[in-house]
Amino acid sequence: MTTKKFVPVMLTPFEDGNAIDYTILEDLIEFYLKAGAGGLFANCLSSEMYHLSREEMLASVSFIVQKVNGRVPIVATGTFPDTLDNQAAFVKEMYHTGVDSVIVITSLLAEETESEDVFEARVNQLLALTDDIPLGFYECPVPYKRILRSDFLGELVRTGRINYHKDTSLNINSVRAKIAASKDAEDFALYDAYMGHAVDSMKADAAGLSCIQGNYFPELIVWLCNHYGDDSEEVDKVQQFFAQNMSVMHDTYPASAKYILEKRGLGITQICRNGSELKNTADYDKLDTLYCQFNALAQEIKLNMVSL
């Protein structure tokens, strides 16, 4: 079985007063890498990118690039609500931070009511406006989710410009079709965001996983990337753990992930700019139960956990 990688969708730590906490951001980078991350996805939805200024996006990504110092590849989102010309200009600015690839948000190139023809024409326009910068795609669910057609993704990959795709289709057949359409490309990787079929996705030859669950328990995602091909009860239990806890990990995210990381010893606050928060005792109880279940599973499979 081919080795798979985990690419965390990075959180943004905030201080009291909502400024980015760069001290904790550096600790978070090291936590991801010690856990075995094979890359980092900076400035994404988990980073609360829509609640960062453009100056903060560029500064935080530049900081991440500097601290990683070439240890793993880094991708970062570079398109936001604006004209196509201005999106292209920001892609160039983001690339100059030193990232390996700039990510394009599919739902920002066409309105939800606009056709696939309109969307695909704008993708090609963006490619023409961004020189030879390596690009990737992210089917971000905000402002709405636009899923790439597999045939179109295959066409884009064959241009040599597209080397990354984060899939959020939640459909294993869609994942398989995209992988088949891009199978001859040497420098292209598809990462699945959906843990409900993580094992099947990697068996279908996805490059790995890029999921919010990695902001709770990155070591467990890395373990699954390393063991997905094993015919074992342990793999089944890890897959089941993620499938059964899907809602609790999504309901108050990313505040919930920050709470778990705080429990694990990272000096991160629960502060979020996007309004996410733990509102009552029930929210905390669910996450405490989740943490207990993780610890029991980690002990059962003899998981090497990162100490913080």
Side-chain angles (χ1 to χ4, degrees):
M1 289 284 182
T2 308
T3 301
K4 307 300 181 182
K5 292 182 180 180
F6 166 52
V7 179
V9 282
M10 296 186 68
L11 297 171
T12 301
F14 296 109
E15 302 172 341
D16 291 338
N18 270 358
I20 296 174
D21 189 331
Y22 282 96
T23 299
I24 301 303
L25 180 56
E26 183 172 3
D27 291 342
L28 185 61
I29 291 166
E30 295 305 320
F31 176 54
Y32 290 136
L33 296 182
K34 287 177 184 176
L40 296 174
F41 188 168
N43 200 45
C44 55
L45 193 60
S46 289
S47 312
E48 301 175 71
M49 61 185 182
Y50 290 124
H51 301 274
L52 301 176
S53 68
R54 297 197 174 200
E55 292 75 19
E56 287 175 318
M57 294 179 203
L58 294 170
S60 59
V61 173
S62 295
F63 179 87
I64 292 163
V65 169
Q66 177 191 359
K67 295 301 178 182
V68 170
N69 194 27
R71 286 178 285 174
V72 296
I74 301 168
V75 301
T77 303
T79 59
F80 291 89
D82 212 329
T83 65
L84 202 60
D85 285 342
N86 287 343
Q87 289 192 55
F90 194 67
V91 165
K92 294 175 182 178
E93 287 189 77
M94 187 58 75
Y95 188 58
H96 288 154
T97 65
V99 296
D100 295 88
S101 183
V102 180
I103 303 302
V104 176
I105 303 297
T106 56
S107 56
L108 293 179
L109 294 181
E111 299 292 335
E112 190 168 8
T113 55
E114 291 183 302
S115 70
E116 278 300 293
D117 288 344
V118 169
F119 165 70
E120 292 175 8
R122 288 184 187 152
V123 170
N124 285 316
Q125 285 178 274
L126 185 67
L127 262 65
L129 290 168
T130 50
D131 305 326
D132 59 351
I133 293 173
L135 300 177
F137 290 96
Y138 172 21
E139 296 164 337
C140 183
V142 179
Y144 73 97
K145 188 183 291 189
R146 184 178 282 267
I147 303 299
L148 283 176
R149 286 193 308 108
S150 58
D151 289 351
F152 183 53
L153 178 60
E155 292 173 18
L156 293 170
V157 168
R158 285 189 288 276
T159 68
R161 290 283 308 281
I162 310 303
N163 60 15
Y164 193 98
H165 177 68
K166 178 177 174 178
D167 195 272
T168 69
S169 66
L170 314 184
N171 184 316
I172 190 61
N173 290 327
S174 176
V175 171
R176 288 173 177 144
K178 288 172 184 169
I179 291 168
S182 55
K183 64 181 179 181
D184 296 326
E186 293 182 4
D187 298 322
F188 173 76
L190 182 149
Y191 291 88
D192 203 340
Y194 184 50
M195 289 303 296
H197 58 223
V199 170
D200 286 342
S201 180
M202 289 188 284
K203 286 182 176 180
D205 211 20
L209 304 171
S210 186
C211 50
I212 69 166
Q213 289 83 355
N215 281 323
Y216 297 82
F217 315 118
E219 308 99 319
L220 196 55
I221 305 294
V222 171
W223 185 94
L224 195 60
C225 286
N226 291 335
H227 293 274
Y228 73 97
D230 299 351
D231 184 15
S232 71
E233 288 186 14
E234 290 182 340
V235 170
D236 292 341
K237 285 180 180 180
V238 172
Q239 173 72 87
Q240 187 178 37
F241 169 78
F242 285 118
Q244 289 179 340
N245 289 293
M246 197 76 68
S247 60
V248 70
M249 292 192 189
H250 279 82
D251 286 348
T252 53
Y253 184 80
S256 51
K258 292 179 178 183
Y259 172 67
I260 292 293
L261 292 180
E262 185 181 23
K263 283 178 71 72
R264 296 195 62 183
L266 189 71
I268 194 169
T269 70
Q270 293 176 43
I271 297 170
C272 298
R273 289 187 184 177
N274 69 355
S276 169
E277 62 178 339
L278 306 184
K279 296 180 179 179
N280 51 49
T281 303
D283 287 340
Y284 285 96
D285 288 346
K286 289 176 184 177
L287 291 168
D288 290 341
T289 298
L290 173 71
Y291 189 46
C292 288
Q293 290 174 351
F294 162 70
N295 282 319
L297 179 59
Q299 186 173 4
E300 183 177 351
I301 67 172
K302 298 179 175 58
L303 180 69
N304 292 322
M305 293 195 291
V306 176
S307 59
L308 291 168

